[in-house]
Amino acid sequence: QVQLVESGGGLVQAGGSLRLSCAVSGITFSLYDMAWYRQAPGKQRELVASITRSSSTNYVDSVKGRFTISRDNAEKTVYLQMNSLKPEDTAVYYCKAVLPSTSTSFWGQGTQVTVSS
């Protein structure tokens, strides 16, 4: 059974930091590209950051310089370090695992991040 379990969300003031974690089980983690998405109320889900099997990273422009994605293959966990948080970062954050060159993907259940002004 594949499980992606996010944690680390919460309420933080603008300018603060949070570190999200996504613990993965049931798949060969090292073979998968990983990504963080977010969905704010009334908006479409958007890709925030991604990291390939070889640890190449990519970010949406709005978080560049503030967020850092990383992975620990031994712990089967992907992280999103979020600094200098803004109210517009408020959303449910989801973890996604994608097997490259296939249609195989898995989602976590999401974790709420709320940034107060």
Side-chain angles (χ1 to χ4, degrees), residues 13-73:
Q13 288 189 332
S17 298
L18 285 174
R19 188 193 195 203
L20 305 184
S21 300
C22 174
V24 180
S25 60
I27 58 174
T28 305
F29 181 77
S30 60
L31 298 181
Y32 282 72
D33 296 340
M34 300 298 299
W36 286 96
Y37 286 72
R38 66 186 178 188
Q39 187 166 20
K43 295 188 177 182
Q44 289 190 331
R45 192 172 297 189
E46 69 166 347
L47 175 64
V48 175
S50 61
I51 184 166
T52 67
R53 294 180 297 180
S54 58
S55 295
S56 295
T57 59
N58 192 41
Y59 300 89
V60 67
D61 285 347
S62 60
V63 308
K64 285 181 180 177
R66 300 188 298 122
F67 290 11
T68 302
I69 189 172
S70 61
R71 65 189 295 159
D72 185 331
N73 287 345

Side-chain angles (χ1 to χ4, degrees), residues 79-105:
Y79 303 97
L80 186 67
Q81 178 67 43
M82 306 186 295
N83 299 328
S84 302
L85 282 161
K86 303 175 181 180
E88 51 263 44
D89 295 317
T90 295
V92 178
Y93 283 72
Y94 298 90
C95 174
K96 183 179 182 181
V98 180
L99 188 62
S101 303
T102 75
S103 59
T104 301
S105 64

